[in-house]
């Protein structure tokens, strides 16, 4: 800590050494040189106050109030080999942790992570620990120095922006009485900075390389970073960046990448954040039941889910609210809250166009290839089909995807020559967004059969869920032979997504058609219903279907067209099979009916018309 440093003696000795260096370089004449570091202790105290305030709390817009970093932070795991460089899943998994990072390597540290992985929160925890935890590397660091790289500004007078910033923090001033000594001054200033840093022994935190506004400034910072890493030994540097933005090799550095949260870490996080075991238990139960639980592997997403739960005591009923919240958070909101502007290399490829590009990419990946990840060859194939719609260059598929990865984190390079969406649920949501914006529902049976989850989400996010559902069932799926697996997945996702249906006769009949397909898919070759079809999903679906039927005139419609074929009884549940006069019958209201309906008798005991 500063109180333990003899600041006056340190400055005096550092100045003496730099003067001697100047004398040796200029034949023992240093009369032209003035070096000072006045009021260093006051400057350091001011900076430490700034670091303390920055690192002590975590806050964002969804939070009712800020939280102390020390109270909510959980230990994160690290990979020594960044994901994008791995050849397989087993290579270099969870080989270090944040608390042991400075024991793992004597080099300077480059800490990488996907958007929302916890890079900045980890640096806050480290700075806070140096300031207040006497057991946190007491023999390595006396104090933290923080440079938030997004605050740096390019200067026409200097290409040493980072070095100049550190000199400003320490109030280093080097002046000359001779105009022809400018180049010497820069060298002496740098050497004095190194000399002083080595004597102070700080941890220098350079946070947010990906947040630097221009490529020129990024290059400037990398050059300065390389100079510092090659000179500093006692003083250490912690450099953070989004993974996609950092593809450099800097001497005397070790790279680590933050791992996704494990289930145990998610549990620890919820308990710490909510400060109540019962609330945390209820939250985790609700999260496990949701289709977006995979997004909780990132601390940023999990923190926002916890904050929403903390504020309203539940996770929003409709998953589409969370999909849109997380996508918007990663696309734009998180940058806006931190006042970060990310510039694109492509004109007209702003946030909304990136979102549309991701939807098109997701749809192609989910339907044409039926995959969640793919290599660069497959990426080029998909890109070649959609790049013209976004006015992008034809030969820059990987560059475009890298920019999207850097700016949003929705899409990542997960292995060497392997790309994937960061969360499966968000890929499903983006595909559904693409579906609902098409002029019509696709007619290709193979496409429809490959995306049951996406179709259910499309119903939920459409502007008219009832009409979309009716059209999908009667004009698309009714003409397909749907298997039990598709139906179970589709029905289960409908129940989870909770579309805002406007109940009418068409909707009721469409749901009864879907139910009949489900029951029919459970028939064996002898026309007998298999016992296993009567499961929890059927029970939940039937409860939902009762509500729909109670608000429609389905009985009247069936009476007009049906005749009873036979009754089936399974586990004391009676079904009736209704065979219609033709495969598809339309009445004056343009309601389409399938050839056969399997209906539980107790569904039709009364007519609500």
């Amino acid at each position: 800590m500063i109180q333990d440093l003899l600041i006056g003696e340190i400055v005096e000795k550092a100045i003496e050494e730099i003067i001697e260096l100047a004398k040796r370089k200029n034949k023992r004449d240093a009369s032209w040189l003035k070096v000072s570091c006045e009021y260093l202790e006051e400057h350091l105290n001011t900076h430490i106050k700034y670091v303390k305030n920055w690192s002590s709390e975590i806050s964002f817009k969804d939070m009712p109030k800020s939280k102390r970093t020390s109270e909510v932070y959980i230990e994160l795991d690290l990979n020594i080999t960044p994901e994008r460089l791995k050849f397989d899943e087993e290579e270099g998994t969870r080989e270090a942790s944040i608390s042991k990072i400075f024991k793992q390597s004597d080099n300077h540290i480059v800490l990488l992570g996907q958007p929302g992985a916890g890079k900045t929160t980890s640096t806050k925890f480290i700075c806070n620990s140096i300031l207040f935890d006497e057991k946190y590397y007491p023999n390595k660091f006396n104090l933290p120095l923080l440079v938030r790289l997004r605050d740096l500004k390019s200067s026409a007078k200097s290409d040493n922006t980072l070095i100049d910033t550190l000199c400003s923090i320490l109030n280093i001033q080097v002046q000359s009485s001779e105009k022809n000594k400018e180049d010497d001054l820069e060298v002496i200033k740098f050497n004095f900075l190194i000399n002083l840093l080595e004597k102070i022994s700080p941890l220098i935190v350079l946070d947010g390389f990906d947040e630097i506004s221009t490529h020129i400034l990024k290059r400037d910072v990398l050059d300065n970073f390389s100079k510092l890493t090659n000179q500093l030994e006692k003083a250490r540097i912690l450099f953070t960046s989004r993974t996609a933005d950092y593809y450099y090799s800097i001497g005397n550095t070790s790279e680590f990448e933050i791992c996704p949260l494990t289930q145990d870490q998610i549990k620890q996080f919820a308990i710490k954040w909510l400060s109540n075991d019962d609330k945390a238990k209820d939250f985790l139960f609700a999260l496990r039941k949701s289709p977006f639980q995979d997004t909780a592997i990132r601390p940023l997403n999990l923190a926002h889910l916890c904050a929403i739960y903390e504020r309203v005591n539940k996770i929003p009923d409709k998953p589409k609210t969370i999909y849109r919240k997380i996508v918007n958070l990663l696309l734009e909101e998180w940058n806006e809250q931190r006042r970060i502007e990310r510039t694109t290399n492509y004109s007209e490829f702003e946030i909304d166009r990136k979102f549309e590009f991701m939807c098109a990419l997701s749809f192609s990946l989910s339907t044409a290839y039926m995959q969640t990840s793919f290599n660069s060859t497959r990426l080029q194939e998909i890109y070649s089909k959609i790049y013209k719609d976004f006015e992008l260059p034809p030969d820059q598929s990987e560059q475009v995807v890298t920019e999207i990865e850097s700016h949003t984190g929705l899409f990542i390079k997960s292995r060497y020559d392997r790309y994937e969406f960061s969360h499966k649920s968000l890929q499903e949501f983006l595909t559904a967004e693409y579906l609902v914006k098409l002029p019509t529902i696709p007619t290709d049976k193979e496409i429809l059969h490959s995306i049951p989850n996406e179709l259910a989400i499309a119903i939920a996010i459409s502007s008219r869920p009832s009409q979309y559902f009716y059209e999908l069932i009667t004009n698309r799926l009714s003409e397909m032979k749907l298997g039990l697996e598709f139906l179970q997945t589709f029905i289960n996702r409908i129940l989870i997504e909770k579309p805002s249906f406007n109940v009418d006769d068409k909707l009721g009949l469409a749901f009864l058609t879907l139910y009949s397909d489900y029951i029919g898919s459970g028939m064996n070759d002898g026309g007998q219903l298999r016992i296993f079809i009567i499961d929890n999903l059927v029970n939940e679906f039937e409860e939902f279907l009762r509500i729909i039927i109670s608000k429609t005139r389905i009985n009247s419609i069936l009476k007009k067209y049906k005749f009873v074929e036979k009754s089936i009884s399974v586990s004391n549940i009676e079904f009736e099979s209704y065979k219609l006069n033709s495969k598809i019958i339309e009445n004056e209201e343009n309601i389409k009916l399938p050839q056969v309906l399997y209906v539980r008798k107790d569904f039709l005991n009364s007519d609500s018309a």
Side-chain angles (χ1 to χ4, degrees), residues 167-411:
C167 287
S168 177
I169 291 172
L170 300 176
N171 197 33
I172 291 175
Q173 299 177 29
V174 180
Q175 297 174 327
S176 171
S177 58
E178 300 179 18
K179 291 184 178 180
N180 63 347
K181 299 290 187 180
E182 291 297 326
D183 290 341
D184 287 344
L185 280 181
E186 288 300 315
V187 174
I188 290 169
K189 186 178 180 180
F190 177 71
N191 288 333
F192 186 35
L193 172 65
I194 296 297
N195 196 310
L196 197 55
L197 289 173
E198 290 288 80
K199 295 181 184 305
I200 295 174
S201 296
L203 175 68
I204 306 166
V205 176
L206 308 178
D207 184 50
F209 176 71
D210 55 281
E211 298 172 2
I212 296 175
S213 56
T214 68
H215 293 293
I216 294 175
L217 187 52
K218 278 188 173 181
R219 186 180 60 200
D220 175 10
V221 167
L222 283 172
D223 288 344
N224 284 199
F225 178 45
S226 181
K227 289 180 183 177
L228 291 167
T229 59
N230 285 324
Q231 294 293 324
L232 293 174
E233 294 181 352
K234 293 182 180 178
R236 300 278 293 281
I237 299 175
L238 175 64
F239 182 97
T240 75
S241 174
R242 288 184 174 181
T243 302
D245 281 81
Y246 190 84
Y247 39 85
Y248 311 96
S249 178
I250 304 293
N252 299 315
T253 64
S254 296
E255 291 183 23
F256 296 87
E257 185 174 40
I258 298 176
C259 300
L261 297 177
T262 65
Q263 290 303 310
D264 284 344
Q265 288 171 326
I266 291 173
K267 180 179 178 180
Q268 292 174 36
F269 189 105
I271 291 172
K272 278 196 161 191
W273 191 279
L274 298 172
S275 302
N276 183 298
D277 287 356
D278 290 336
K279 288 188 72 172
K281 184 178 179 180
D282 291 341
F283 166 78
L284 292 169
F285 178 75
L287 182 63
R288 283 193 294 271
K289 287 179 60 181
S290 74
F292 47 79
Q293 63 171 318
D294 62 325
T295 66
I297 61 174
R298 292 197 195 183
L300 176 65
N301 298 339
L302 183 56
H304 277 76
L305 291 172
C306 284
I308 293 170
Y309 185 86
E310 187 176 27
R311 201 170 66 237
V312 299
N313 288 318
K314 65 176 184 177
I315 293 177
D317 289 333
K318 298 190 181 295
K320 68 178 182 180
T321 305
I322 297 298
Y323 301 143
R324 285 173 175 155
K325 172 66 181 176
I326 293 176
V327 168
N328 187 54
L329 182 68
L330 295 175
L331 275 172
E332 189 168 21
E333 185 179 322
W334 190 232
N335 289 331
E336 286 182 347
Q337 289 186 35
R338 297 182 298 156
R339 300 184 297 281
I340 298 170
E341 183 177 347
R342 301 186 187 274
T343 56
T344 177
N345 292 323
Y346 309 96
S347 61
E348 309 300 326
F349 199 49
E350 299 301 333
I351 294 298
D352 59 332
R353 298 294 282 162
K354 282 187 173 71
F355 176 72
E356 292 168 1
F357 179 88
M358 292 301 294
C359 290
L361 186 67
S362 177
F363 178 80
S364 294
L365 184 60
S366 299
T367 58
Y369 301 105
M370 301 177 192
Q371 292 177 313
T372 58
S373 66
F374 51 98
N375 59 23
S376 55
T377 301
R378 190 61 48 85
L379 171 63
Q380 181 59 49
E381 290 174 2
I382 298 174
Y383 182 83
S384 65
K385 297 176 183 177
I386 63 177
Y387 76 90
K388 291 181 180 179
D389 295 334
F390 301 92
E391 300 179 27
L392 294 168
D395 57 348
Q396 295 193 24
S397 58
E398 293 193 30
Q399 292 91 325
V400 170
V401 167
T402 297
E403 179 173 298
I404 291 174
E405 178 184 7
S406 168
H407 287 196
T408 73
L410 287 171
F411 195 76

Side-chain angles (χ1 to χ4, degrees), residues 561-601:
Y561 296 103
K562 69 172 175 66
F563 67 88
V564 177
E565 186 178 72
K566 61 181 176 180
S567 294
I568 306 170
S569 180
V570 177
S571 299
N572 298 320
I573 300 174
E574 291 190 8
F575 289 84
E576 286 190 354
S577 170
Y578 294 90
K579 187 172 183 180
L580 307 178
N581 292 330
S582 62
K583 186 174 182 181
I584 295 292
I585 297 179
E586 297 186 14
N587 69 357
E588 61 275 10
E589 296 175 336
N590 197 34
I591 294 178
K592 296 182 179 180
L593 301 177
Q595 187 174 11
V596 176
L597 293 176
Y598 295 101
V599 186
R600 281 185 57 158
K601 281 188 175 182

Side-chain angles (χ1 to χ4, degrees), residues 61-106:
K61 192 168 63 176
D62 283 327
M63 293 175 63
K65 61 180 181 179
S66 60
K67 294 182 181 289
R68 297 194 65 79
T69 306
S70 58
E71 294 175 355
V72 298
Y73 182 78
I74 65 164
E75 184 76 82
L76 298 178
D77 298 330
L78 303 172
N79 279 332
I80 293 177
T81 306
E83 291 287 341
R84 70 182 189 277
L85 300 179
K86 293 181 181 179
F87 287 90
D88 58 60
E89 294 183 2
E90 299 302 320
E91 183 184 352
T93 56
R94 300 184 187 273
E95 298 182 39
S97 63
I98 292 291
S99 64
K100 298 177 181 178
I101 193 171
F102 300 109
K103 292 179 180 178
Q104 192 79 19
S105 173
D106 291 327

Side-chain angles (χ1 to χ4, degrees), residues 403-455:
E403 179 173 298
I404 291 174
E405 178 184 7
S406 168
H407 287 196
T408 73
L410 287 171
F411 195 76
I412 61 174
K413 189 172 184 180
S414 58
R415 295 285 185 276
Y416 180 78
D417 195 31
R418 180 61 54 177
Y419 302 85
E420 64 183 35
F421 284 84
S422 56
H423 306 296
K424 181 65 167 67
S425 61
L426 296 187
Q427 181 183 349
E428 292 168 345
F429 170 70
L430 292 169
T431 300
E433 280 280 354
Y434 186 87
L435 280 169
V436 297
K437 291 177 181 177
L438 292 173
T440 61
I441 300 173
T443 57
D444 190 304
K445 294 180 181 180
E446 289 189 10
I447 287 179
L448 294 177
H449 204 274
S450 67
I451 51 173
N453 285 293
E454 293 83 349
L455 289 172

